[in-house]
Amino acid sequence: MARFKQEKTRLTSILQQDDWQEAINHELVRPGQAPVLVNPLLAFLNRPELRHKAAWSLGRAVALIAAESMEQARVIMRRMMWSMNEESGNLGWGIPEAMGCILAESPELAREYGRILLSYGHDTGIEDNFVDHAPLRRGVRWAIGRFAAARPEAALRALPQMVAALDDPDPEAAGLAAWALGQLAARPAEPASPGPASPEAVRPGLADQENAPLLRQALERLRALEELPERPVQIFDGSRLVDTTVKALAAAARRLLLPQTVV
């Protein structure tokens, strides 16, 4: 217990540094350090100011663990999935974000758990894994976007649910769904940012004829989001939280999707 508290204190200081990502990477190159960091980082997921940094760090740590021992990594994934279960008694703060970062970093874990992550955002209307709590659902949208940016071929199956999510009654969750769609369309070289994106920077694969109706629906719903009153939202751009608006996220996603759409 004393060591756990010491690690939490030390990691708090690291995550508050300007060069926190470099510092975390330095920690992870130390032999055997990745498993030691997991529990303290999981504890930080409950802290909004450190949540995304902890999720990013868990992505790196658990991917390294998976490279050494898939079974050990599976234990961590199952632990996180249990935290998302209502029977666990937890709300699951930060768990989707952590899962999105982990699956973005580890192709092996992505193959096994990608569908589970996507299921948290899929409302089937029957018994499912869909997250009803709006603040937690925002984290799911961001996690799907992080996954889509790294593994678009795996996330493409979630296109219908991401388009439907643009009608989310929670404006911030709808804005983050727009960002997730943009990440699915953007090329890997395109920064994962909420700002304007070049129309030429599109990722091939979306423009199949079978996706055309969904993409046209997405453009219509994104335009509708752009017409709503300004609604502030924060988004983690890969290194820090950025203040933006639902309108800006929708506009950026529409610019990325437009070249993919078959008229």
Side-chain angles (χ1 to χ4, degrees):
M1 183 61 71
R3 185 181 182 188
F4 176 75
K5 289 182 177 179
Q6 290 172 355
E7 284 297 309
K8 280 189 66 177
T9 300
R10 193 172 64 84
L11 281 173
T12 299
S13 176
I14 289 175
L15 293 176
Q16 290 174 338
Q17 296 175 13
D18 291 338
D19 61 345
W20 66 272
Q21 287 172 309
E22 182 180 346
I24 287 293
N25 284 330
H26 180 74
E27 289 287 318
L28 291 173
V29 298
R30 296 165 55 191
Q33 184 69 356
V36 174
L37 298 183
V38 168
N39 284 338
L41 289 171
L42 285 170
F44 290 143
L45 296 177
N46 280 316
R47 297 176 56 175
E49 76 280 10
L50 294 178
R51 178 172 298 149
H52 286 88
K53 292 181 179 181
W56 184 93
S57 303
L58 279 165
R60 303 302 301 274
V62 179
L64 288 173
I65 292 170
E68 296 290 330
S69 170
M70 273 296 289
E71 188 51 41
Q72 189 176 359
R74 291 185 185 111
V75 169
I76 297 169
M77 296 300 296
R78 288 194 290 266
R79 177 180 171 186
M80 289 193 288
M81 289 162 55
W82 171 248
S83 294
M84 291 292 291
N85 191 320
E86 290 182 0
E87 296 177 5
S88 72
N90 297 317
L91 259 181
W93 292 119
I95 295 297
E97 292 95 323
M99 289 181 68
C101 289
I102 291 167
L103 303 189
E105 293 284 347
S106 171
E108 296 82 11
L109 291 173
R111 282 192 290 270
E112 294 191 22
Y113 296 97
R115 288 180 182 270
I116 293 172
L117 172 64
L118 298 181
S119 73
Y120 295 134
H122 189 195
D123 186 1
T124 65
I126 56 176
E127 187 174 352
D128 54 31
N129 288 336
F130 181 68
V131 175
D132 289 319
H133 188 52
L136 186 58
R137 196 160 64 247
R138 296 167 198 163
V140 172
R141 305 297 186 215
W142 184 88
I144 291 175
R146 176 72 183 92
F147 182 57
R151 311 202 181 279
E153 65 290 340
L156 188 58
R157 66 172 69 95
L159 180 61
Q161 65 165 273
M162 286 194 282
V163 174
L166 296 174
D167 288 336
D168 196 300
D170 177 70
E172 293 180 47
L176 287 163
W179 178 80
L181 275 170
Q183 299 312 294
L184 186 63
R187 289 185 183 276
E190 186 76 5
S193 75
S198 167
E200 291 77 23
V202 295
R203 193 195 298 266
L206 279 182
D208 294 344
Q209 187 66 40
E210 63 187 43
N211 291 330
L214 276 173
L215 295 177
R216 286 195 288 269
Q217 289 179 37
L219 291 176
E220 292 175 5
R221 294 175 182 183
L222 288 167
R223 288 191 191 96
L225 283 177
E226 290 182 66
E227 293 173 2
L228 292 177
E230 291 285 2
R231 179 67 177 257
V233 62
Q234 281 192 323
I235 191 164
F236 187 72
D237 70 354
S239 62
R240 61 191 177 92
L241 283 171
V242 174
D243 291 314
T244 183
T245 64
V246 171
K247 180 177 180 177
L249 293 176
R254 187 164 61 85
R255 283 192 289 272
L256 281 167
L257 285 176
L258 188 61
Q260 299 280 12
T261 307
V262 178
V263 179

